[in-house]
Amino acid sequence: MTDKEYHKQNLENIFDSASHSPVFKSNPKFNIGDFSKLVPYISYGDVMNYKYIIRGRPLGMHNSFDAEDRCIIVQYDNIEDLINDNWRLD
């Protein structure tokens, strides 16, 4: 199984089970400016609604239910696009 397949499968499992809010490793493409000080994640509400929105929250914050309070880093139409843009689960 390739790295992309591994992360895609795990992310699909998270969405299908709505088990938690996934957190991602920093993505060099987006780890610039103000975004470099944020932890990339998908809010639990977005997981429940199958929305592939990478948001940023301050370091040390762990609330995944506050999506409206967090900036959007990037949004995708599907998991494949998200994985192909080099987002990896932390």
Side-chain angles (χ1 to χ4, degrees), residues 10-30:
N10 282 323
L11 198 53
E12 286 172 341
N13 290 340
I14 291 169
F15 273 86
D16 290 343
S17 66
S19 59
H20 64 282
S21 173
V23 175
F24 295 87
K25 296 178 181 179
S26 294
N27 183 327
K29 181 177 177 181
F30 299 96

Side-chain angles (χ1 to χ4, degrees), residues 13-60:
N13 290 340
I14 291 169
F15 273 86
D16 290 343
S17 66
S19 59
H20 64 282
S21 173
V23 175
F24 295 87
K25 296 178 181 179
S26 294
N27 183 327
K29 181 177 177 181
F30 299 96
N31 193 22
I32 54 175
D34 291 339
F35 294 143
S36 67
K37 298 177 181 118
L38 300 176
V39 175
Y41 77 110
I42 297 178
S43 74
Y44 189 71
D46 290 338
V47 169
M48 296 288 293
N49 291 305
Y50 284 85
K51 293 183 179 179
Y52 309 102
I53 303 172
I54 305 286
R55 299 177 186 273
R57 67 177 178 223
L59 293 171

Side-chain angles (χ1 to χ4, degrees), residues 34-88:
D34 291 339
F35 294 143
S36 67
K37 298 177 181 118
L38 300 176
V39 175
Y41 77 110
I42 297 178
S43 74
Y44 189 71
D46 290 338
V47 169
M48 296 288 293
N49 291 305
Y50 284 85
K51 293 183 179 179
Y52 309 102
I53 303 172
I54 305 286
R55 299 177 186 273
R57 67 177 178 223
L59 293 171
M61 293 288 298
H62 298 289
N63 185 358
S64 63
F65 297 99
D66 58 355
E68 64 276 355
D69 296 333
R70 303 293 170 217
C71 68
I72 294 174
I73 297 174
V74 64
Q75 184 170 351
Y76 299 95
D77 293 327
N78 54 60
I79 288 176
E80 290 82 10
D81 290 345
L82 185 149
I83 295 298
N84 286 334
D85 211 11
N86 292 316
W87 288 103
R88 298 296 180 262

